[in-house]
């Protein structure tokens, strides 16, 4: 097959970054050919239908191949360009359908720039004006095969067209694309300032990645209701591209706030509780995430994953391969199973904590049914940190120094709020759960410093009050409430006892407070009379049987023995015993009775008198002895 031996008379060199079709048009114009038809004529004349673009140019111009590396963009269908001329861009990002140009640049430089053939380049980066794609005379799109180098087929000079000024965001987008194009062609882009509120990563993207990003963002933002947003008809026309690129510039501005708003608008209300991530994102956002799978789009993926972690109330699992491991580890939502493993709490306890508001939790929506409980990771961590550990009923009672029954009574009376309380018929102490911080707060409200002499006769401990003045713990609750309200003042704490049982009060102030709480009560049962006198019930039985306390009444219907308060007051005024005996005599509580007996003061009841349990003396005998003793 014969070689092409025809060399064009005029063979200008390509200009830097000149359009392939524009160079063919300029080459023909310099040799008297007004259109691109000369290429087909030479190929037919020399019978070389399979020649490539570089081979054709070398044989017709004689230029070496390195000098032809200045041209970029698609060529005629019959002349296959080298891959380096297309810069790795997809076909949709090259506009070979019709011409697009800047009249001022065409007038100044005299050649067609390859940058104008980029589908997404609609602004001249030098003049800031929209590119022209319609003939100013006939107002029709000008194809590469129609018209001359600088004129339309209607005769209109293309260099005389007037184009409107582009707005600021579109100009910034045009400069960004131009800089990426210059970099992709091995040049040094002019220094242009990136918009301050745009992500800095877009300035470092390769041209191929930049076009994919701008196209994806613009299409998904413009065609929100379309099933396949990137399938856009007539996408090479400015009328179609303008709203797409305007939305792209809007998403990149004020990054990532506007992008976050865009994502929120795409999520349907109520989908944040969807169990499936695909249901939450919807079809469009799921496709967008797959479209931006290249590593260079990491900054967009990070924002999308951050949005998922912030707004999706579902659980990210290992099957979500497209989400980074770090996001999975930091995702603020975990299942109730994971929460149970981390906290060592049963699922029932976690459900109760969510119902009580101690934990943040919700049920994920799965096919219309909400039966998958999700827990907020942050609320669980804060709960465990604030609780400082969880204690069951047995450990909590030991921590406070009270019995399990009294601790339950504290709960019933509102002094302590448990974190978890068994419901129904469950009464296992292990099922109860208290936060240690709550117990510490309760102790702090009644706790004081240790007392140097806790056995002093003028003091009385909570433990002694419970044994001598209360029954079933009811009085203890009232006592603690009086301490918290300031009605009773704490003197100190017995360091030998744990919890609230070792708290010390003034005996005199306690008796005054205790008696004031019973002013309206004139009749006491046997147990109430014992509490009123501060003695044990079996001692009261003995004193009653010996006739020291009389005037008892038997109710026939209730079978209950009662006594009037006046009778008890008379008994207290006439007799003295126990701690009061030690206080008046000046002896110790254990030795007061023996010392008085040795000094001739004989009790009316006691082990050495009538076999009684407690020594009881006449107050008159004791006062007489003290007067004589003190002279």
């Amino acid at each position: 097959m014969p070689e092409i031996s025809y060399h064009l008379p005029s063979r200008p060199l390509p200009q830097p970054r000149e359009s392939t079709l524009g160079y063919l048009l300029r080459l023909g114009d310099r040799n008297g050919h007004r259109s691109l038809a000369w290429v087909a004529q030479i190929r037919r004349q020399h019978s070389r239908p399979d020649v490539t673009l570089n081979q054709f140019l070398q044989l017709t111009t004689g230029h070496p191949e390195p000098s032809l590396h200045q041209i970029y963009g698609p060529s005629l269908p019959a002349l296959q360009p080298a891959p380096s001329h297309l810069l790795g861009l997809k076909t949709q990002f090259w506009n070979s359908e019709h011409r697009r140009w800047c009249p001022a640049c065409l007038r100044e430089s005299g050649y067609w720039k390859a940058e104008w053939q980029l589908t997404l380049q609609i602004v001249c980066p030098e003049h800031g004006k929209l590119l022209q794609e319609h003939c100013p005379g006939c107002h029709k799109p000008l194809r590469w095969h129609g018209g001359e180098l600088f004129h339309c087929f209607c005769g209109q000079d293309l260099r005389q067209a007037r184009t409107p000024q582009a707005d600021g965001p579109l100009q910034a987008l045009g400069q960004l694309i131009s800089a990426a194009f210059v970099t992709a062609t091995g040049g040094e882009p002019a220094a242009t300032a990136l918009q301050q509120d745009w992500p800095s990563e877009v300035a470092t993207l390769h041209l191929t990645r930049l076009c994919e990003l701008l196209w994806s963002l613009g299409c998904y933002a413009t065609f929100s209701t379309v099933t396949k947003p990137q399938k856009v008809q007539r996408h090479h026309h400015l009328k179609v591209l303008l709203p797409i690129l305007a939305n792209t510039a809007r998403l990149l501005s004020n990054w990532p706030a506007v992008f976050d708003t865009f994502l929120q608008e795409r999520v349907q209300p109520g989908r944040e509780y969807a169990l499936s991530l695909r249901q939450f994102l919807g079809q469009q956002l799921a496709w967008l995430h797959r479209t931006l799978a290249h590593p260079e789009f990491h900054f967009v993926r990070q924002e999308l994953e951050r949005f998922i972690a912030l707004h999706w109330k579902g659980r990210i699992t290992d099957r979500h391969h497209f989400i980074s491991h770090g996001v999975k580890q930091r995702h603020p939502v975990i299942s109730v199973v994971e929460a149970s493993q981390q906290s060592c709490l049963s699922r029932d306890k976690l459900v109760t904590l969510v119902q009580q508001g101690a934990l943040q939790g919700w049920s994920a929506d799965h096919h219309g049914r909400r039966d998958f409980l999700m827990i907020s990771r942050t609320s669980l961590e804060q709960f465990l940190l604030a609780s400082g550990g969880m204690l069951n009923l047995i450990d909590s009672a030991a921590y406070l120094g009270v019995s399990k029954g009294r601790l339950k009574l504290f709960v019933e009376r509102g002094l302590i709020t448990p974190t978890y309380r068994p419901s129904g018929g469950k009464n296992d102490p292990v099922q109860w759960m208290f936060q240690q911080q709550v117990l510490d707060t309760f102790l702090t409200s009644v706790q004081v410093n240790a007392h140097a002499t806790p056995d002093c006769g003028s003091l009385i401990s909570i433990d002694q009050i419970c044994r001598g003045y209360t029954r079933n713990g009811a009085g203890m609750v009232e006592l603690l409430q009086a301490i918290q309200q300031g009605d009773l003042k704490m003197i100190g704490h017995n360091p030998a006892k744990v919890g609230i049982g070792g708290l010390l009060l003034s005996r005199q102030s306690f008796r005054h407070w205790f008696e004031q709480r019973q002013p309206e009560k004139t009749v006491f049962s046997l147990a109430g009379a014992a509490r009123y006198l501060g003695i044990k019930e079996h001692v009261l039985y003995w004193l009653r049987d010996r006739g020291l306390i009389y005037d008892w009444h038997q109710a026939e219907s209730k079978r209950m023995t009662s006594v009037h308060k006046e009778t008890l007051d008379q008994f207290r005024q006439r007799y003295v015993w126990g701690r009061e005996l030690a206080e008046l005599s000046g002896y110790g509580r254990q030795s007061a009775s023996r010392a008085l007996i040795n000094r001739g003061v004989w009790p009316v009841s006691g082990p050495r008198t009538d076999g009684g349990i407690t020594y009881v003396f006449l107050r008159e005998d004791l006062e007489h002895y003290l007067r004589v003793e003190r002279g």
Side-chain angles (χ1 to χ4, degrees):
M1 184 175 293
E3 296 285 341
I4 297 178
S5 59
Y6 173 73
H7 283 190
L8 296 174
S10 179
R11 302 184 294 274
L13 287 171
Q15 294 293 329
R17 300 173 190 86
E18 185 175 2
S19 166
T20 300
L21 292 172
Y23 178 65
L24 291 175
L25 197 60
R26 185 165 65 91
L27 190 62
D29 183 77
R30 292 286 294 271
N31 290 277
H33 302 289
R34 301 304 179 186
S35 68
L36 292 177
W38 69 273
V39 177
Q41 293 174 2
I42 292 179
R43 290 179 62 254
R44 285 196 302 269
Q45 180 181 354
H46 296 276
S47 302
R48 291 301 304 270
D50 57 345
V51 69
T52 63
L53 173 66
N54 284 354
Q55 291 173 346
F56 177 81
L57 291 178
Q58 290 179 32
L59 295 173
T60 55
T61 64
H63 297 322
E65 186 174 356
S67 64
L68 301 177
H69 291 170
Q70 296 286 346
I71 58 176
Y72 297 95
S75 177
L76 295 174
L79 298 178
Q80 184 67 29
S84 59
H85 293 303
L86 300 178
L87 302 175
L89 289 174
K90 297 178 181 178
T91 306
Q92 65 176 351
F93 296 130
W94 284 111
N95 176 23
S96 58
E97 186 176 301
H98 58 273
R99 304 191 207 183
R100 192 184 295 164
W101 71 96
C102 172
C105 290
L106 192 61
R107 188 169 54 250
E108 295 169 2
S109 62
Y111 69 94
W112 293 78
K113 297 182 179 180
E115 182 181 337
W116 298 340
Q117 278 194 268
L118 294 175
T119 301
L120 302 183
Q121 183 60 292
I122 63 174
V123 176
C124 175
E126 297 181 12
H127 301 95
K129 294 185 177 182
L130 292 175
L131 297 182
Q132 184 78 16
E133 68 175 3
H134 291 88
C135 171
C138 62
H139 305 290
K140 295 180 179 180
L142 182 61
R143 298 186 177 275
W144 287 101
H145 287 280
E148 304 175 5
L149 179 63
F150 299 125
H151 294 81
C152 176
F153 57 83
C154 68
Q156 175 66 41
D157 190 344
L158 304 178
R159 294 168 293 186
Q160 304 304 319
R162 294 183 179 182
T163 55
Q165 193 78 14
D167 58 18
L170 285 180
Q171 289 186 27
L173 206 60
Q175 293 175 356
L176 184 66
I177 296 174
S178 178
F181 176 76
V182 173
T183 303
T185 55
E188 188 68 27
T192 56
L194 185 69
Q195 295 285 92
Q196 293 183 355
D197 54 354
W198 286 28
S200 59
E201 291 84 355
V202 296
T204 61
L205 291 177
H206 187 271
L207 178 63
T208 305
R209 304 282 87 80
L210 179 63
C211 290
E212 291 177 358
L213 175 65
L214 301 182
W215 180 250
S216 299
L217 293 180
C219 289
Y220 280 100
T222 306
F223 308 106
S224 59
T225 60
V226 180
T227 304
K228 296 182 178 181
Q230 296 193 72
K231 300 293 183 180
V232 182
Q233 295 182 355
R234 300 174 60 85
H235 65 277
H236 294 105
H237 293 266
L238 288 180
K239 185 178 180 180
V240 178
L241 285 170
L242 272 173
I244 295 177
L245 294 178
N247 283 325
T248 301
R250 179 178 60 85
L251 290 181
L252 292 177
S253 63
N254 194 17
W255 183 269
V258 177
F259 182 68
D260 187 77
T261 303
F262 159 74
L263 295 176
Q264 292 186 35
E265 293 173 351
R266 296 302 178 275
V267 176
Q268 297 182 9
R271 287 288 181 88
E272 61 271 15
Y273 293 99
L275 184 64
S276 170
L277 179 57
R278 182 175 298 178
Q279 292 178 353
F280 167 71
L281 291 177
Q283 193 175 38
Q284 279 204 354
L285 292 186
W287 282 350
L288 176 62
H289 196 279
R290 288 195 296 268
T291 302
L292 304 177
H294 196 276
E296 288 192 49
F297 300 141
H298 65 91
F299 65 100
V300 184
R301 291 172 58 86
Q302 286 177 357
E303 290 303 322
L304 183 56
E305 292 174 357
R306 183 192 61 81
F307 173 81
I308 293 173
L310 184 63
H311 296 281
W312 185 41
K313 305 303 182 181
R315 170 175 169 256
I316 298 178
T317 61
D318 294 336
R319 70 174 181 271
H320 299 124
H321 303 290
F322 56 89
I323 296 181
S324 63
H325 180 71
V327 174
K328 292 180 182 179
Q329 294 295 323
R330 298 189 303 270
H331 187 53
V333 179
I334 57 177
S335 66
V336 67
V337 177
E338 292 177 302
S340 178
Q341 294 173 352
Q342 293 182 16
S343 62
C344 298
L345 302 176
S346 66
R347 298 186 190 183
D348 291 340
K349 290 183 180 180
L350 291 172
V351 171
T352 303
L353 291 175
V354 171
Q355 294 174 349
Q356 294 177 349
L359 289 178
Q360 294 181 9
W362 51 86
S363 296
D365 189 1
H366 181 61
H367 300 297
R369 296 176 55 192
R370 293 195 171 188
D371 51 2
F372 293 88
L373 181 62
M374 299 296 170
I375 304 293
S376 169
R377 185 194 300 271
T378 304
S379 68
L380 179 63
E381 293 175 351
Q382 292 177 350
F383 171 78
L384 295 177
L385 181 63
S387 64
M390 307 303 298
L391 301 177
N392 57 29
L393 184 66
I394 300 174
D395 296 334
S396 299
Y399 189 75
L400 295 178
V402 297
S403 65
K404 294 183 293 183
R406 280 209 171 96
L407 181 54
K408 290 182 180 180
L409 188 61
F410 292 167
V411 173
E412 293 176 359
R413 301 292 288 273
L415 293 180
I416 296 178
T417 303
T419 304
Y420 176 77
R421 182 178 182 178
S423 58
K426 299 179 181 179
N427 199 24
D428 187 357
V430 181
Q431 294 292 328
W432 289 73
M433 186 169 57
F434 295 85
Q435 292 186 28
Q436 186 173 342
Q437 183 182 14
V438 174
L439 302 181
D440 291 338
T441 303
F442 173 72
L443 286 176
T444 304
S445 65
V446 296
Q447 195 68 277
V448 290
N449 296 329
H451 198 277
T453 57
D455 295 329
C456 178
S458 62
L459 301 178
I460 185 171
S461 67
I462 298 291
D463 194 28
Q464 292 171 336
I465 294 174
C466 292
R467 292 198 304 266
Y469 290 85
T470 64
R471 189 174 188 179
N472 298 328
M476 187 176 190
V477 173
E478 298 170 353
L479 188 65
L480 293 176
Q481 290 175 340
I483 294 173
Q484 292 176 338
Q485 295 171 3
D487 297 337
L488 284 174
K489 184 179 180 181
M490 300 301 304
I491 303 299
H493 182 268
N494 188 347
K497 295 186 178 182
V498 179
I500 61 178
L503 297 178
L504 300 174
L505 299 171
S506 168
R507 184 180 298 274
Q508 183 178 0
S509 63
F510 164 71
R511 283 183 176 176
H512 177 70
W513 172 83
F514 185 77
E515 291 174 358
Q516 281 187 336
R517 294 184 60 83
Q518 318 285 340
E520 72 286 350
K521 197 168 185 179
T522 59
V523 179
F524 292 91
S525 64
L526 194 146
R531 290 196 298 270
Y532 182 73
L533 294 177
I535 59 179
K536 297 181 180 179
E537 291 185 28
H538 63 277
V539 176
L540 185 62
Y541 278 115
W542 180 268
L543 297 176
R544 182 197 64 176
D545 295 342
R546 292 297 176 270
L548 297 178
I549 300 178
Y550 51 90
D551 197 19
W552 292 88
H553 302 276
Q554 186 76 29
E556 296 181 0
S557 59
K558 297 183 179 180
R559 296 183 180 180
M560 184 180 68
T561 302
S562 61
V563 63
H564 287 84
K565 179 177 180 293
E566 182 180 358
T567 302
L568 300 179
D569 291 338
Q570 291 175 358
F571 176 79
R572 178 176 287 174
Q573 293 173 3
R574 187 174 184 183
Y575 300 101
V576 61
W577 67 93
R579 192 176 293 275
E580 186 181 7
L581 179 66
E583 293 176 358
L584 293 176
S585 64
Y587 297 106
R589 185 175 181 181
Q590 302 296 330
S591 60
S593 300
R594 185 172 59 254
L596 291 174
I597 293 174
N598 293 336
R599 286 163 177 74
V601 182
W602 199 255
V604 296
S605 179
R608 297 174 61 179
T609 304
D610 54 4
I613 302 173
T614 300
Y615 282 108
V616 179
F617 291 81
L618 278 170
R619 188 179 295 272
E620 182 180 354
D621 293 345
L622 180 60
E623 291 175 352
H624 175 73
Y625 164 75
L626 293 176
R627 285 196 301 270
V628 173
E629 186 71 19
R630 295 170 182 173

